[in-house]
Amino acid sequence: MEKPKVFVSRRIPVDGLDRIIELGDVELWEEDLEPSYDVLLEKVVGADGLVCLLTDRIDDQLMDAAGDQLRVISQMAVGFDNIDTKAATERGIAVGHTPGVLTDTTADFAFTLLMAAARRVAEGARYVQEGHWKTWGPTLLMGYDVYGSTLGLVGSGRIGQAVARRASGFNMRILCYDPFVDEDVITAFGAESTSLENVLSESDFVSLHVPLTRETRHMIGASQFRDMKSTCVLVNTSRGPVVDTEALYHALKDGEIAYAALDVTEPEPIPFGDPILTLDNCLIVPHIASSSIATRTQMSTMVADNLAAGLKGEVLPYCANPEIYG
Ligand code: GLV
């Protein structure tokens, strides 16, 4: 029997990749950088399965280019805003993702960013590396206390709730804005449900945990920065376009807020030379919140599980468009 044809758009951790290679006639994109959209369009022609990453745009045109035999798109990420799931559903293509496994790893990292920003860790490290450390300084790099402060969560899904669990260990008051979640659920994980305006104006730290949708794109922009305390630290481990980067630059430069710690940016990657990179009060890391060895390994095996099920026509264990199953 002919093996199913699969295109894999980047080298993923070996545990998952080895299993994927056994599942079919696999073409692996070996470059460090992702294939361009045009290259992807060519590579998917005739594929039964596609393994992709959040750096790949997977739209209706691409699905049509692949052909009617395309049965499954298996993405190594929990977020899938890069995939047109509606177009996939219309074509009967199952879309897989990797929820759950990265919740705690990402929450750990959101808290790492929060702490690093509050206590100016990146600035301190730079100060030492650049040879400025001459003595103990009584006012040197004074930051903000985390313990006992107020955390504002925007979004209270799995990762937001996991951040709340960490915050409760720091005796933080937790405010939460999530119009899609019942107040009872928010109260049950130790937070107070309130409006976005209240979260922004009362919090010492604001951490974003919403998916990227039409509604959440640029939901934090110039007017939201004006609502925030001038001592506020913004943490973003969700998706870059949730924050208006240009407005953030001005808010940080003009002292409307104190600090931003970002795992994600818009655009991504943030171009070298972007003015935001000149700011000492902005810490940016390259979208690594889920990047622990254990988590990325587990994500890769979930990708293989989804691909295997999809190629056999079975229900995906971790499906982003369950509506295809009626
Ligand atoms: C990473 O950002 C993911 O969605 O898994």
Side-chain angles (χ1 to χ4, degrees):
M1 206 175 84
E2 213 176 295
K3 283 182 160 185
K5 204 176 155 215
V6 176
F7 181 69
V8 181
S9 75
R10 216 97 63 81
R11 187 168 274 284
I12 66 171
V14 71
D15 292 49
L17 189 58
D18 282 352
R19 284 192 34 217
I20 289 168
I21 287 168
E22 284 169 12
L23 291 173
D25 170 11
V26 172
E27 184 181 2
L28 171 65
W29 182 255
E30 292 271 12
E31 311 281 325
D32 288 338
L33 295 183
E34 65 273 22
S36 68
Y37 181 72
D38 286 344
V39 169
L40 204 53
L41 274 182
E42 284 168 26
K43 294 291 180 188
V44 294
V45 173
D48 302 287
L50 169 64
V51 172
C52 59
L53 305 182
L54 51 81
T55 41
D56 302 313
R57 171 156 60 94
I58 311 294
D59 59 10
D60 52 352
Q61 192 191 341
L62 190 114
M63 294 174 207
D64 289 341
D68 289 345
Q69 77 299 322
L70 181 64
R71 269 168 283 167
V72 55
I73 296 169
S74 181
Q75 163 141 302
M76 188 176 135
V78 63
F80 47 86
D81 47 273
N82 59 311
I83 303 176
D84 185 342
T85 46
K86 187 163 167 279
T89 303
E90 280 162 9
R91 289 161 179 75
I93 303 168
V95 177
H97 68 142
T98 62
V101 60
L102 48 69
T103 300
D104 282 307
T105 305
T106 304
D108 280 355
F109 199 76
F111 222 80
T112 302
L113 287 180
L114 184 156
M115 301 274 295
R119 301 305 305 275
R120 306 178 66 180
V121 172
E123 286 166 273
R126 249 190 332 265
Y127 185 83
V128 174
Q129 274 169 343
E130 290 171 2
H132 302 299
W133 190 17
K134 305 290 184 221
T135 182
W136 182 85
T139 59
L140 180 62
L141 289 171
M142 294 191 294
Y144 298 108
D145 280 322
V146 174
Y147 188 85
S149 63
T150 299
L151 170 67
L153 295 174
V154 179
S156 69
R158 281 180 290 248
I159 297 172
Q161 293 189 25
V163 170
R165 287 196 290 278
R166 283 145 183 82
S168 65
F170 282 74
N171 202 27
M172 292 172 102
R173 176 182 177 216
I174 307 167
L175 304 178
C176 180
Y177 168 71
D178 192 332
F180 301 104
V181 172
D182 277 354
E183 199 172 326
D184 295 355
V185 174
I186 291 177
T187 313
F189 71 79
E192 299 162 41
S193 175
T194 187
S195 64
L196 180 61
E197 291 69 28
N198 285 347
V199 165
L200 298 177
S201 63
E202 291 185 29
S203 298
D204 302 303
F205 299 90
V206 170
S207 191
L208 307 178
H209 301 287
V210 289
L212 177 62
T213 62
R214 204 171 300 140
E215 291 73 33
T216 62
R217 184 174 289 273
H218 287 194
M219 81 184 281
I220 307 295
S223 103
Q224 286 68 37
F225 291 124
R226 280 195 292 275
D227 285 342
M228 290 158 84
K229 294 183 184 179
S230 60
T231 51
C232 186
V233 171
L234 174 73
V235 177
N236 190 8
T237 53
S238 63
R239 283 291 183 263
V242 173
V243 176
D244 177 342
T245 305
E246 203 185 322
L248 174 62
Y249 169 75
H250 290 293
L252 288 167
K253 199 165 158 40
D254 302 343
E256 266 173 356
I257 67 168
Y259 217 108
L262 313 174
D263 183 46
V264 289
T265 59
E266 184 193 35
E268 199 165 307
I270 196 85
F272 191 65
D274 189 291
I276 204 161
L277 297 176
T278 64
L279 299 177
D280 282 335
N281 56 346
C282 189
L283 165 61
I284 303 182
V285 291
H287 204 152
I288 52 172
S290 68
S291 192
S292 74
I293 296 165
T295 292
R296 289 279 169 95
T297 299
Q298 265 182 290
M299 287 166 74
S300 77
T301 60
M302 289 165 85
V303 168
D305 291 343
N306 276 331
L307 182 73
L311 291 176
K312 282 191 266 174
E314 292 171 2
V315 175
L316 304 200
Y318 317 102
C319 189
N321 60 341
E323 58 278 10
I324 62 160
Y325 304 118

